Amino acid sequence: MYADGEQSRMSTVEIEYCVPCGFLSRAEDVQHALLSTFGEQLDAVTLATGANGVFVVRVDDTVIFDKSEDEYDVDEIVRRVRDRL
Amino acid sequence: MYADGEQSRMSTVEIEYCVPCGFLSRAEDVQHALLSTFGEQLDAVTLATGANGVFVVRVDDTVIFDKSEDEYDVDEIVRRVRDRL
């Protein structure tokens, strides 16, 4: 559905980070990179609190980065988000 | 409903900010104050992109700060969020 309008729908990003691990500033860095790069191309970027070492980035509910599987790299996260816009 | 469990439900905050006005850093400041103060008491803080001068803070969909009506004061915003947790 909406194949032709796909480009114009705005995306939402969620960054879930472990609060007790002190991952807030890392989550803020990723959020800032995304919002300063894509601005209004994104509908919203959410910082969601979590625990147990979580650091996961989702675009419209699809995981595009998971600290437990991927090496942390802000530029790579920005590239992966761009691929989904 | 849930009168007894009211305290344990987590809240979501949304900060809608005007992208072309350059309000991103102000939105980030408010978000940082909220997440560093309340941590896991909040479920999530969302930065939502907007235009036309908007700068509005909502807690669970209730507006607690609107730049068009209130003077900008991070500490006051933190107090108003606390009152709703």
Side-chain angles (χ1 to χ4, degrees):
Chain A
M1 319 190 276
Y2 300 114
D4 291 333
E6 202 92 13
Q7 296 281 2
S8 62
R9 283 186 298 134
M10 304 235 291
S11 294
T12 296
V13 176
E14 180 180 81
I15 304 167
E16 184 183 356
Y17 70 100
C18 173
V19 176
C21 311
F23 290 167
L24 172 58
S25 85
R26 187 179 294 196
E28 288 172 335
D29 287 349
V30 172
Q31 182 188 46
H32 181 80
L34 296 175
L35 286 171
S36 57
T37 303
F38 302 117
E40 288 173 283
Q41 287 181 67
L42 294 173
D43 191 42
V45 179
T46 295
L47 298 190
T49 58
N52 303 317
V54 70
F55 194 91
V56 171
V57 181
R58 296 180 189 88
V59 179
D60 298 326
D61 296 326
T62 301
V63 173
I64 59 114
F65 176 87
D66 186 336
K67 182 180 168 294
S68 64
E69 293 174 11
D70 303 300
E71 192 160 348
Y72 178 66
D73 177 342
V74 176
D75 295 338
E76 178 60 26
I77 294 172
V78 170
R79 274 191 293 273
R80 290 182 187 180
V81 171
R82 177 177 284 119
D83 288 345
R84 304 215 138 245
L85 298 185
Chain B
M1 327 189 271
Y2 301 116
D4 291 334
E6 203 90 13
Q7 296 280 3
S8 63
R9 282 188 297 135
M10 303 237 291
S11 294
T12 297
V13 176
E14 181 181 82
I15 303 167
E16 185 183 355
Y17 71 99
C18 173
V19 176
C21 310
F23 290 168
L24 172 59
S25 86
R26 188 179 293 196
E28 289 171 335
D29 287 349
V30 172
Q31 181 188 47
H32 182 80
L34 296 175
L35 286 171
S36 56
T37 302
F38 302 118
E40 287 172 283
Q41 287 181 67
L42 295 173
D43 191 42
V45 179
T46 295
L47 297 189
T49 59
N52 303 315
V54 70
F55 194 91
V56 171
V57 181
R58 296 180 190 89
V59 179
D60 298 326
D61 295 327
T62 301
V63 173
I64 58 114
F65 176 87
D66 186 336
K67 182 180 168 293
S68 65
E69 294 174 10
D70 304 300
E71 192 160 346
Y72 178 67
D73 178 342
V74 177
D75 294 339
E76 178 60 25
I77 295 172
V78 170
R79 275 191 292 275
R80 291 182 186 180
V81 171
R82 178 176 283 120
D83 288 346
R84 304 213 139 247
L85 298 186

